[in-house]
Amino acid sequence: PKAIPPLPRACITGEPTSLRILRMHKGHLRLRLSFTGVPAHSGLPHLGVNAVEAAGRAITALADLRQALERERPPNAEHFPEVPYVTLNLARVSGGGPTNVVPADCVLDLGVRLLPGMSVDQMTGRIQAVVQDAVSRVPFDLVVLNETPPMLAPEDAPIISLVNRELGQTGTGSAPFGTDGGWLSRLGLDCVLWGPGDIAVAHKPNEWLPVAEFVRAGELLTLVVHRACEAGA
């Protein structure tokens, strides 16, 4: 059989960091709550179960959970000084139909940003319990739509020393967003984030990056690749 080539030891994930080296980021967990009611004519509401009302109670409970999470300081919180806690974002609600029908379905999508070292299962279990308490006997499902794992590279990772040395920097930082580096780090790679531009202008109309940073990034990346190859990294 054909031999499988070895994986790289390290990876630079191109992200808008204003050419700063970042060795960690939060993850992003996308969840969907689906509530199942019983349809009925709105003139006979006692024959139905309103899924939208159940979702409304869940939204209130999840807003309370969001505030509770903001008061907590999980492991590695000190590395995220701007937002040192788990964020929970209630992003989308969809359900119901004609105004003369008790709605039998409602869907709520939310995003949760976990810090490195946190458990997905524990957080989803916590959300499940909070919603269950809020909606009482209305059935619902909680599913994970997508997971971007958090990333945390060791401080003494060779790729960090190399990039710091070539860029004339010291130390590292963190990012409040998620990247593919989270998955690559699970494969055993030491990953860092680095690149031109600023995340503050991303995902907006007319997002942009400074031309000088773009040019400088190309020069520095070429230099780092050559240094890594010379060192056998």
Side-chain angles (χ1 to χ4, degrees):
K2 186 176 180 180
I4 299 175
L7 289 171
R9 301 178 191 173
C11 173
I12 296 176
T13 301
E15 292 288 345
T17 70
S18 300
L19 301 185
R20 293 179 56 244
I21 304 163
L22 308 182
R23 73 178 181 95
M24 66 190 79
H25 66 61
K26 293 183 179 181
H28 191 221
L29 185 63
R30 290 178 55 220
L31 304 174
R32 173 166 291 172
L33 286 158
S34 301
F35 301 89
T36 303
V38 176
H41 193 284
S42 64
L44 300 169
H46 59 286
L47 300 180
V49 176
N50 194 313
V52 171
E53 288 184 358
R57 294 194 295 273
I59 289 171
T60 299
L62 289 169
D64 291 341
L65 175 60
R66 174 184 61 77
Q67 294 176 352
L69 291 170
E70 290 177 0
R71 294 190 294 268
E72 297 174 5
R73 293 297 178 268
N76 295 304
E78 69 275 13
H79 299 302
F80 298 87
E82 187 175 3
V83 186
Y85 49 81
V86 174
T87 59
L88 188 155
N89 182 45
L90 297 165
R92 190 180 73 90
V93 181
S94 176
T99 56
N100 64 341
V101 176
V102 174
D105 58 78
C106 192
V107 174
L108 172 61
D109 288 348
L110 56 149
V112 183
R113 294 193 180 273
L114 300 179
L115 280 68
M118 297 191 72
S119 166
V120 170
D121 289 342
Q122 288 181 1
M123 182 55 64
T124 54
R126 188 172 176 182
I127 291 171
Q128 177 94 19
V130 164
V131 175
Q132 185 66 65
D133 288 344
V135 303
S136 185
R137 296 185 298 273
V138 179
F140 71 92
D141 290 319
L142 172 62
V143 297
V144 176
L145 296 179
N146 186 52
E147 178 195 358
T148 298
M151 184 191 85
L152 176 61
E155 279 189 282
D156 59 354
I159 186 64
I160 293 177
S161 300
L162 171 62
V163 176
N164 263 332
R165 183 171 63 251
E166 296 301 336
L167 273 61
Q169 298 182 18
T170 58
T172 58
S174 64
F177 52 86
T179 78
D180 291 336
W183 285 113
L184 294 172
S185 65
R186 285 192 174 183
L187 294 176
L189 280 69
D190 291 332
C191 298
V192 294
L193 311 183
W194 181 80
D198 188 341
I199 193 63
V201 299
H203 305 313
K204 297 179 180 179
N206 304 318
E207 64 179 49
W208 60 280
L209 58 84
V211 173
E213 277 191 18
F214 180 76
V215 174
R216 181 62 174 152
E219 297 170 347
L220 292 171
L221 186 59
T222 300
L223 182 62
V224 167
V225 169
H226 281 293
R227 292 286 187 268
C229 290
E230 291 170 359

